Amino acid sequence: CVSMMDTTTALTTLHEALTAGRHGEDLRELFTPDATTTEHPNALNPRGRTSTLAEMLAASEAGTGLLAWQRYDAHTLAEHGTTVVARLTWTGEVARDAGPFREGQRLTAHLAQFAEVEGGRIRSIETFDCYEAF
């Protein structure tokens, strides 16, 4: 049951779900209804942004098929109360030509994420994504 998860498990379950190809409404159960993600400025999103749960789910649905696969490798996971801090490497392979990206191109980002968990579900994620040169 999602509500029984500890803080670290809530975030690792999200990363596992994304690695397994889950997207859109299939991710809703992992978040509280008022969940947000704050993405700090990075190479893909120079202005950064804060997204509601509805916006996150819609973006994950819209992005379906852009990546052939993706994975999250955790280097550090630390809990402090209801907060989990994660240092990760994200890797993905582009599935089809899109904008500046070419099919088969590998992308890598080094991430620091801070997630607030409530009742075993993610209430907020603040992420710092440092992409390697494309």
Side-chain angles (χ1 to χ4, degrees):
C1 175
V2 174
S3 64
M4 301 299 285
M5 290 191 293
D6 66 15
T7 305
T8 300
T9 301
L11 187 60
T12 57
T13 298
L14 172 62
H15 295 146
E16 290 166 358
L18 294 169
T19 297
R22 291 175 58 189
H23 53 82
E25 285 298 319
D26 196 29
L27 299 172
R28 184 178 293 277
E29 69 180 4
L30 303 177
F31 296 94
T32 63
D34 61 344
T36 60
T37 295
T38 299
E39 180 183 358
H40 288 274
N42 60 67
L44 289 182
N45 192 0
R47 291 195 169 106
R49 75 174 153 234
T50 297
S51 302
T52 65
L53 178 57
E55 291 167 333
M56 287 186 278
L57 299 179
S60 82
E61 193 67 43
T64 302
L66 290 177
L67 294 174
W69 57 266
Q70 65 178 323
R71 78 168 183 258
Y72 293 81
D73 295 309
H75 306 294
T76 305
L77 293 167
E79 283 187 30
H80 182 72
T82 60
T83 303
V84 61
V85 178
R87 185 174 62 85
L88 313 147
T89 300
W90 171 87
T91 310
E93 184 176 301
V94 177
R96 57 182 164 80
D97 292 354
F101 303 110
R102 297 294 162 246
E103 180 180 343
Q105 181 179 1
R106 291 254 174 116
L107 306 175
T108 301
H110 305 280
L111 315 178
Q113 292 185 337
F114 301 83
E116 290 293 325
V117 176
E118 181 179 286
R121 295 179 181 200
I122 297 169
R123 186 169 47 85
S124 67
I125 298 174
E126 183 174 3
T127 187
F128 298 83
D129 305 346
C130 299
Y131 287 89
E132 292 183 3
F134 302 134

